[in-house]
């Protein structure tokens, strides 16, 4: 028997009002950005990857990480249908693989990190490997937008570059977002990663990067969403042309 593919539907405004009223304005802002970038009707899994290295402590304390999680949930509600976002915390190793959800988003980041241990270093490649495994194991057919937050460069630059290039043949787009001093040399590597040669290094341009500054909460919602999705349409077109995304 042939089973028809069911295209996931976005979560309605009414559903968001019922389950997460505090996120209604974010949901509306995310929708406006998606329409602006020609992404209305697109479906994608959304992941959140969060830096749990020692230098990130102020961003957990001041609510910046929670604010990002809420914004990602608002975006995911338009692109997926389950009201949940897989979230991965990484430092020296993988600190946690869990999820955030519309129905239980308030204070969720604080509850997760309360059960985590020592804040270590910054190994991008371990987090990237874990996302790749999760996506492949999920059996998903839709593409994925991976929001990857960090406040510095990786402990191993060659490993991070290798994993990004390895993932170029998969339906995964990596949107890196930096927290911290915009002038820091820590982000030079991410700028380089954003510009890796195509096709010499990777078959498609599968990554973007932008800096959210030292107080990411102050970035207006509309601006943040525009920057989160700005490069996604070009990647979708290139990935579809090469058969990476169906």
């Amino acid at each position: 028997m042939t089973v028809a593919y069911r295209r996931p539907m976005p979560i309605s405004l009414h559903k968001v009002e019922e389950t997460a009223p505090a996120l209604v304005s974010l949901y509306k802002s995310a929708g406006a950005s998606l329409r602006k970038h020609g992404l209305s009707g697109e479906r994608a899994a959304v992941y959140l990857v969060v830096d749990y290295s020692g230098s990130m402590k102020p961003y957990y304390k001041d609510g910046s990480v929670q604010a990002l999680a809420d914004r990602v949930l608002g975006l995911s509600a338009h692109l997926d249908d389950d009201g949940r976002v897989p979230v991965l915390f990484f430092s020296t190793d993988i600190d946690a693989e869990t999820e955030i959800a519309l129905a239980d988003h308030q204070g969720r980041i604080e509850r997760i990190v309360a059960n985590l241990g020592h804040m270590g270093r910054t190994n991008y490649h371990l987090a990237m490997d874990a996302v790749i495994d999760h996506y492949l194991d999920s059996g998903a057919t839709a593409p994925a937008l991976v929001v990857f937050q960090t406040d510095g460069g990786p402990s191993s630059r060659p490993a991070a570059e290798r994993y990004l290039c390895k993932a170029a043949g998969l339906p995964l787009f990596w949107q890196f977002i930096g927290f911290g001093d915009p002038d820091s040399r820590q982000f030079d590597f991410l700028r380089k990663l954003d510009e890796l040669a195509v096709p010499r290094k990777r078959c498609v341009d599968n990554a973007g990067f932008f800096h959210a500054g030292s107080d990411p909460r102050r970035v207006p919602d509309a601006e943040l969403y525009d920057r989160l999705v700005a490069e996604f349409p070009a990647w979708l077109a290139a990935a579809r042309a090469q058969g990476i995304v169906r």
Side-chain angles (χ1 to χ4, degrees):
M1 181 179 69
T2 300
V3 178
Y5 168 66
R6 184 182 68 84
R7 185 176 175 85
M9 298 298 293
I11 293 171
S12 68
L13 173 59
H14 177 66
K15 183 69 172 178
V16 175
E17 289 171 337
E18 282 188 333
T19 58
L23 301 185
V24 167
S25 65
L26 294 177
Y27 176 86
K28 291 179 178 179
S29 185
S33 288
L34 289 169
R35 290 190 295 274
K36 176 179 176 180
H37 291 278
L39 291 166
S40 293
E42 288 289 349
R43 298 294 168 259
V46 179
Y47 286 81
L48 176 61
V49 180
V50 184
D51 188 339
Y52 190 65
S53 61
S55 55
M56 278 291 299
K57 188 175 291 185
Y59 298 108
Y60 285 96
K61 186 176 181 179
D62 71 9
S64 294
V65 178
Q66 179 68 59
L68 177 63
D70 287 343
R71 287 161 151 180
V72 170
L73 272 171
L75 177 63
S76 176
H78 288 277
L79 296 171
D80 207 347
D81 63 352
D82 65 357
R84 298 175 181 275
V85 171
V87 58
L88 186 146
F89 294 75
F90 77 99
S91 57
T92 307
D93 296 301
I94 303 303
D95 298 284
E97 292 184 67
T98 182
E99 64 180 24
I100 52 177
L102 288 172
D104 187 32
H105 72 96
Q106 293 183 318
R108 174 67 173 145
I109 297 299
E110 183 177 355
R111 293 195 300 276
I112 294 169
V113 300
N115 295 312
L116 302 186
H118 176 70
M119 301 176 84
R121 301 183 67 186
T122 316
N123 278 327
Y124 288 11
H125 67 284
L126 296 180
M128 298 172 82
D129 190 40
V131 170
I132 292 168
D133 284 348
H134 186 284
Y135 180 82
L136 294 176
D137 290 345
S138 74
T141 56
L145 171 61
V146 184
V147 179
F148 194 115
Q149 181 278 324
T150 184
D151 73 337
S155 300
S156 174
R157 296 185 176 196
E161 181 176 321
R162 184 169 65 252
Y163 270 84
L164 183 71
C165 294
K166 171 185 174 183
L170 296 171
L172 298 168
F173 182 78
W174 306 82
Q175 180 57 65
F176 293 93
I177 173 173
F179 284 12
D181 181 358
D183 297 322
S184 172
R185 297 291 300 275
Q186 286 285 328
F187 298 104
D188 288 353
F189 174 74
L190 280 172
R191 295 184 181 98
K192 174 189 172 186
L193 208 62
D194 187 16
E195 298 170 359
L196 285 177
V198 175
R200 185 171 61 86
K201 290 268 191 176
R202 50 188 174 157
C203 56
V204 292
D205 181 352
N206 61 333
F209 168 68
F210 72 92
H211 202 286
S214 297
D215 189 353
R217 297 167 302 169
R218 295 178 64 87
V219 178
D221 296 332
E223 179 183 339
L224 186 92
Y225 283 128
D226 279 346
R227 300 182 79 177
L228 281 177
V229 304
E231 296 188 51
F232 195 57
W235 170 77
L236 275 175
R240 282 176 173 144
Q242 296 205 25
I244 297 168
V245 171
R246 292 185 287 178

